[in-house]
Amino acid sequence: MILVLTSPDDTHADRVCDLLDQADAPWFRFDPAAFPHSAQLTVTTGATGLVQRLLVTRDHSLDLAQVTALWYRRPQAPVVEVPGIDPSHNAALAEECQHLVRDLWETLACLMVPASYWVIQRAQHKISQLQLATALGFELPPTMVTNDPSALIAFSRAHNGQIISKPCMGLALQRTGYYQYTRPVTRRDLAAAETIHASPMIFQKLVPKAVEVRITVVGDQVFAVAIHSQVSHHTRYDWRRYDHDHTPLTPHTLPPALAAQCVALVARMGLTYGAIDMILTPNGRYIFLEINPNGQYLWVESRTGVPISAAIARLLQTGTHRTVANLVVSEGGIACLLE
């Protein structure tokens, strides 16, 4: 059984579940936001360890011991709305529920795509990404992460004022309705450099672009697409400032050695899936920027035809149930399976 954790409106999951149906592969889709108001979880332990992990919804009952693969797509947090109690109490109850479901998924000894919650969270750390990418031989732009105004000014001078800025994470900013895209650091920014004191930022040397490359790794398969971001002024510094009508996407072939590096990066991070962003310079150099361990991909597939959904569906079908006794934890805290 393949367990898909995501929201009801996730079109990525819709597509993959359709493909699983075509392959007669059993799957169950669950959004933790349904817990506890319309779902129940029961975990029983005994002398030999976990005896039962049962998920019951309004129309289905799933013994989690039967799960062979878990797709941790876009699950929402549990929602608790008990009438007549203080909102802070509802929030505390929701936090308890969130703690339980995250703990429960960690006990599943099965294939996880892209990984368990905590591995995904760790994989989003930008400095750690850069450190690992360097160790694996990727070329990176000169980078500084700081909230020190004087360090920023010195970094700008060292690169003749040709630097860009981007947030360290950005998710907290998104929750406020504000998001800062990658953009050049201007003289006005440097004059107001004191403002970074409360907001550390990532600063990098501005790298000339022929195209940007989105590389999606699924298991040991690599799908690369060139984003012609320099065609549109709107996307020149950050393709996420979408201008679909004026930003062509085309399938792209990576050098075999670079494709192997991408697979190695995803695997070393404890992931089975990852979306890597790189720059291809006018003189043919590939520059690593970052990896999103659970990045969206359907926008790439729908515009280029690269079969990422099919690759994910096939990967999920390779999962087999393993006992907890076969699980070990590596030095980096990543759960590994003993063959």
Side-chain angles (χ1 to χ4, degrees), residues 37-329:
H37 62 84
S38 59
Q40 293 80 47
L41 285 168
T42 302
V43 181
T44 307
T45 66
T48 59
L50 291 173
V51 175
Q52 184 186 57
R53 290 161 294 177
L54 188 64
L55 169 61
V56 179
T57 65
R58 288 173 176 169
D59 54 6
H60 195 83
S61 178
L62 176 64
D63 180 354
L64 294 176
Q66 303 305 312
V67 174
T68 57
L70 171 71
W71 190 17
Y72 200 97
R73 245 300 292 174
R74 286 290 193 272
Q76 299 182 102
V79 176
V80 178
E81 295 178 341
V82 179
I85 71 171
D86 189 280
S88 64
H89 294 172
N90 275 326
L93 292 172
E95 188 173 343
E96 283 286 303
C97 292
Q98 179 76 296
H99 178 80
L100 172 61
V101 295
R102 285 178 178 167
D103 187 17
L104 182 58
W105 312 139
E106 292 282 340
T107 70
L108 300 183
C110 66
L111 169 71
M112 294 193 181
V113 180
S116 69
Y117 170 80
W118 296 112
V119 173
I120 294 170
Q121 292 303 302
R122 183 171 59 249
Q124 295 184 74
H125 296 165
K126 294 296 190 289
I127 298 174
S128 298
Q129 289 183 11
L130 297 177
Q131 182 182 36
L132 179 56
T134 300
L136 290 174
F138 287 91
E139 183 177 355
L140 278 65
T143 301
M144 173 179 283
V145 183
T146 188
N147 71 328
D148 183 344
S150 61
L152 165 59
I153 292 170
F155 185 73
S156 177
R157 287 174 178 165
H159 298 290
N160 301 313
Q162 299 297 297
I163 64 172
I164 57 90
S165 68
K166 56 186 179 182
C168 291
M169 189 64 175
L171 294 181
L173 293 175
Q174 287 185 47
R175 286 192 288 269
T176 68
Y178 171 79
Y179 185 80
Q180 179 172 316
Y181 294 97
T182 300
R183 64 181 186 85
V185 176
T186 65
R187 291 182 180 178
R188 178 178 295 181
D189 293 328
L190 294 174
E194 289 294 333
T195 59
I196 72 166
H197 177 72
S199 178
M201 300 282 291
I202 298 173
F203 301 97
Q204 292 180 320
K205 180 182 178 180
L206 180 64
V207 177
K209 303 174 182 178
V211 295
E212 296 182 67
V213 185
R214 178 73 161 202
I215 303 160
T216 305
V217 177
V218 183
D220 59 1
Q221 291 189 274
V222 179
F223 304 92
V225 167
I227 304 171
H228 298 264
S229 59
Q230 305 309 286
V231 174
S232 169
H233 179 75
H234 197 62
T235 59
R236 184 166 299 171
Y237 296 108
D238 193 331
W239 58 259
R240 291 169 299 180
R241 299 185 66 180
Y242 299 108
D243 186 8
H244 292 312
D245 292 339
H246 304 97
T247 310
L249 269 63
T250 55
H252 183 79
T253 301
L254 295 176
L258 179 59
Q261 280 180 298
C262 292
V263 172
L265 174 66
V266 170
R268 283 282 298 273
M269 298 182 82
L271 305 168
T272 55
Y273 170 97
I276 300 168
D277 291 320
M278 301 188 73
I279 291 171
L280 176 59
T281 68
N283 62 0
R285 292 157 50 219
Y286 287 89
I287 311 297
F288 175 89
L289 296 178
E290 63 183 30
I291 176 172
N292 185 332
N294 207 1
Q296 305 281 54
Y297 68 85
L298 204 56
W299 61 279
V300 170
E301 180 172 285
S302 63
R303 295 183 61 193
T304 65
V306 292
I308 299 172
S309 292
I312 292 173
R314 287 194 300 271
L315 177 61
L316 290 169
Q317 292 174 74
T318 66
T320 56
H321 176 70
R322 296 173 172 88
T323 64
V324 176
N326 289 335
L327 282 173
V328 295
V329 178

